[in-house]
Amino acid sequence: MISNYAELFLICAIILMPIFYETSSRFRFYFKFVVYYGVVILNSFMLIPIFCLRPCNVRNLVLASKFCRLVSPIISMKWEVRGAEHMGADRAMVIVANHQSSLDILGMFDFWHLMDKCTVIAKRELFFAWPFGLAAWLSGLIFIDRRHTQRAQNAMNESTDMLIRKRTKLWVFPEGTRRTTNEIHPFKKGAFHVAVRAQLPILPVVYSSYHTFLDDRHKVMNPGHVIVTALPAIETKGLTSDDIPELIERTRNAMIDTFKATTKEVENRFNLSGHASPRLTEPVSQVAPKGPRMAPDIRQDQQVRSFIEPGSRKIGSLLGGAMGDESPIKEPTAYRRKDVQRD
């Protein structure tokens, strides 16, 4: 009897899932992230025994990326990498990148093979998220306690010798916290202290804005196209700690210029501005259709619905965009929102 109920439940789930996926933006949002995290966790289980054969070796991340990068086409994400020659340089360097979402890591999986030997600074809490945390530790990730600045700085300094000796790249998100606000926020100094102290070059990497397809606040995730640009390395030879503020400003300004340019290019290339829904900050009278007057709360509710609900979708888009398309972006997009900050 129990098995019959289980089979009935499974059949209903299989039938209803495509319907929910096609009709609910919120369901698609959670479904895509569940697939993303699920694949990463599954790969962690499978790869931990292999990683134990060469523990704390950063090349384990190259192997992990070969499996995890398969998630991108499933959830309709496309990563366009520019400046691959800068990422592939066989030298120790400190990579600094803007941080918008956990999807940044999914993007890294797509081009980790270009960087070859690269490790990442991660918050200490991730180590306890097993099996991912254990797999990450066996792959040579450097975990820091962000609540104690001095401990975090010491952990980063201790990694310097390994970077130089093994020609390894150190990936850091200098903003510290993920922010989906369509801008690059001020940088923390830790990565730049490491680079100057070891006289290693800074390699800026810029992800174009996710606001063209992702809205955490309203739980919208449409198919996305992201341009990832590696800028020429910024040398630090001869610099001292007194030069760090100017180095940070120069690096951040270069990244902001690239961020704005690549985001605008994505918008123009796929005509995203023509699909943008009205902003919630606009007066209701500017977006409300003509007709009988409605109560303000009803009009506001309709405006919110128009903002978060996508247009018509093709059945079968569960596994991504149509084959042969230049980009999977095919739906209305979630545009700029109020500040959203997550730890």
Side-chain angles (χ1 to χ4, degrees):
M1 180 65 69
I2 296 178
S3 62
N4 291 337
Y5 281 121
E7 292 175 1
L8 180 62
F9 176 80
L10 180 61
I11 293 173
C12 291
I14 294 174
I15 294 175
L16 293 177
M17 185 176 294
I19 297 176
F20 286 135
Y21 188 89
E22 297 294 333
T23 58
S24 172
S25 61
R26 184 176 292 269
F27 180 87
R28 283 196 300 277
F29 177 89
Y30 287 114
F31 177 84
K32 289 182 178 182
F33 274 100
V34 166
V35 169
Y36 170 26
Y37 296 146
V39 171
V40 171
I41 292 173
L42 179 61
N43 284 330
S44 298
F45 270 120
M46 295 190 301
L47 293 175
I48 283 175
I50 300 176
F51 291 169
C52 288
L53 299 178
R54 50 179 190 181
C56 299
N57 189 322
V58 295
R59 287 187 182 274
N60 287 338
L61 289 167
V62 178
L63 176 60
S65 69
K66 291 181 179 180
F67 294 93
C68 294
R69 66 185 300 184
L70 299 176
V71 177
S72 290
I74 294 176
I75 65 173
S76 301
M77 286 293 302
K78 184 174 182 179
W79 308 92
E80 178 182 343
V81 180
R82 297 177 180 176
E85 67 278 8
H86 303 309
M87 290 185 181
D90 185 21
R91 61 186 300 194
M93 60 179 65
V94 177
I95 301 177
V96 294
N98 57 317
H99 198 17
Q100 302 177 75
S101 165
S102 60
L103 293 174
D104 298 336
I105 308 301
L106 182 58
M108 292 172 67
F109 288 143
D110 201 72
F111 51 79
W112 215 305
H113 63 286
L114 299 175
M115 300 183 292
D116 191 24
K117 292 179 292 184
C118 179
T119 187
V120 181
I121 294 291
K123 59 184 180 181
R124 180 172 174 267
E125 291 79 3
L126 284 178
F127 173 74
F128 300 101
W130 284 30
F132 171 77
L134 178 58
W137 180 76
L138 290 171
S139 299
L141 261 68
I142 301 172
F143 294 97
I144 62 172
D145 189 350
R146 297 189 302 181
R147 294 172 298 180
H148 299 87
T149 305
Q150 190 57 48
R151 293 181 187 176
Q153 189 64 53
N154 291 339
M156 295 177 69
N157 291 337
E158 290 172 1
S159 66
T160 302
D161 293 339
M162 181 273 293
L163 298 178
I164 298 174
R165 186 176 66 257
K166 298 184 178 181
R167 294 177 175 268
T168 301
K169 303 171 182 66
L170 177 66
W171 185 291
V172 184
F173 294 109
E175 292 170 288
T177 304
R178 293 175 286 172
R179 292 182 173 93
T180 54
T181 58
N182 196 33
E183 59 183 322
I184 295 180
H185 291 259
F187 290 168
K188 299 181 183 298
K189 296 181 179 180
F192 298 88
H193 274 291
V194 171
V196 169
R197 185 175 290 109
Q199 298 290 280
L200 296 175
I202 296 284
L203 181 68
V205 173
V206 184
Y207 290 77
S208 62
S209 178
Y210 292 175
H211 86 284
T212 55
F213 65 92
L214 180 67
D215 187 336
D216 287 328
R217 180 181 177 187
H218 295 99
K219 301 299 181 271
V220 174
M221 183 178 175
N222 293 326
H225 186 110
V226 180
I227 298 177
V228 183
T229 308
L231 303 177
I234 300 175
E235 295 295 338
T236 62
K237 291 183 178 179
L239 300 184
T240 66
S241 57
D242 295 333
D243 300 310
I244 289 179
E246 189 276 334
L247 176 62
I248 292 176
E249 189 69 16
R250 179 154 52 102
T251 303
R252 182 168 177 266
N253 287 339
M255 293 175 67
I256 289 175
D257 291 341
T258 302
F259 177 79
K260 292 180 178 179
T262 53
T263 299
K264 190 66 176 178
E265 180 181 342
V266 171
E267 293 173 347
N268 292 338
R269 187 192 304 180
F270 304 110
N271 194 29
L272 295 183
S273 58
H275 296 296
S277 299
R279 297 182 188 176
L280 292 179
T281 55
E282 292 181 358
V284 175
S285 59
Q286 295 182 12
V287 296
K290 295 181 179 180
R293 294 175 60 86
M294 294 181 290
D297 57 336
I298 297 177
R299 288 185 294 176
Q300 182 67 21
D301 180 67
Q302 289 189 354
Q303 183 182 347
V304 171
R305 289 175 182 273
S306 67
F307 182 85
I308 64 175
E309 288 297 335
S312 60
R313 298 168 51 87
K314 295 179 179 179
I315 299 296
S317 61
L318 181 64
L319 296 180
M323 296 298 292
D325 291 343
E326 181 182 0
S327 169
I329 296 180
K330 291 182 178 298
E331 302 175 275
T333 56
Y335 255 55
R336 298 178 184 174
R337 304 166 303 284
K338 296 179 181 179
D339 188 20
V340 179
Q341 180 172 336
R342 299 179 296 169
D343 289 329

